[in-house]
Amino acid sequence: MGERLTRLGRFLRKTSLDELPEFFNVIKGDMSIVGPRPLLTQYLDRYTPEQARQHEVKPGITGWAQVNGRNAITWEEKFKLDVWYVDNWSLWLDMKIILMTVRKILKKEGINQPGQATMEEFMPHAKALRR
């Protein structure tokens, strides 16, 4: 799992304990427990208009893309799932995502992409940017 992570880092990643500091952002009101995962600000100018729709809701610690592949899916799949969440949000869906998240954490599924500590850098195709 890459040279970027120490043994402690791999443990924190596998158990998802590295997500705990984000609860401070939930308490502050900057994040929600459920919503599209916040991405690096350097990606902002790389989104298509459709992908940017994920910002119509607060970012979350867990989300629809996390319970449907986490870091083991492509960026395109991730954005489609995040936009689907924005269009289909409900309290019931959030409860379902929380329960699915607990199951994923316990099974340690989709934590990383092969050969990556988490997920490869988001580099959209040139044709996708022209849309």
Side-chain angles (χ1 to χ4, degrees):
M1 180 175 338
E3 303 158 10
R4 293 180 8 190
L5 290 179
T6 63
R7 208 186 290 164
L8 175 62
R10 281 191 295 275
F11 171 77
L12 293 173
R13 207 51 225 126
K14 280 185 179 182
T15 58
S16 295
L17 289 173
D18 61 328
E19 307 292 347
L20 286 177
E22 291 181 340
F23 276 106
F24 292 115
N25 290 322
V26 172
I27 292 167
K28 285 180 16 186
D30 294 338
M31 287 180 74
S32 181
I33 291 176
V34 179
R37 291 283 298 163
L39 301 175
L40 299 173
T41 55
Q42 71 191 40
Y43 294 169
L44 288 174
D45 63 346
R46 301 178 190 178
Y47 299 146
T48 65
E50 182 68 8
Q51 292 168 340
R53 292 193 55 232
Q54 72 176 345
H55 298 287
E56 293 176 12
V57 297
K58 280 187 181 181
I61 294 173
T62 188
W64 192 236
Q66 280 62 49
V67 297
N68 286 289
R70 204 168 175 182
N71 291 322
I73 59 176
T74 67
W75 280 106
E76 289 75 22
E77 292 169 311
K78 179 180 176 24
F79 283 118
K80 282 181 185 174
L81 291 167
D82 284 342
V83 171
W84 183 91
Y85 172 81
V86 169
D87 291 340
N88 293 280
W89 178 88
S90 71
L91 184 57
W92 168 246
L93 180 58
D94 279 2
M95 297 304 292
K96 179 178 179 177
I97 291 170
I98 289 169
L99 292 173
M100 291 173 74
T101 298
V102 170
R103 194 172 98 213
K104 290 276 184 184
I105 290 171
L106 294 175
K107 287 184 160 190
K108 299 179 176 108
E109 292 178 346
I111 294 170
N112 56 17
Q113 287 183 331
Q116 301 286 328
T118 54
M119 195 163 181
E120 67 186 357
E121 181 179 352
F122 172 55
M123 294 297 295
H125 302 296
K127 105 176 153 178
L129 287 175
R130 287 186 291 227
R131 287 186 212 167

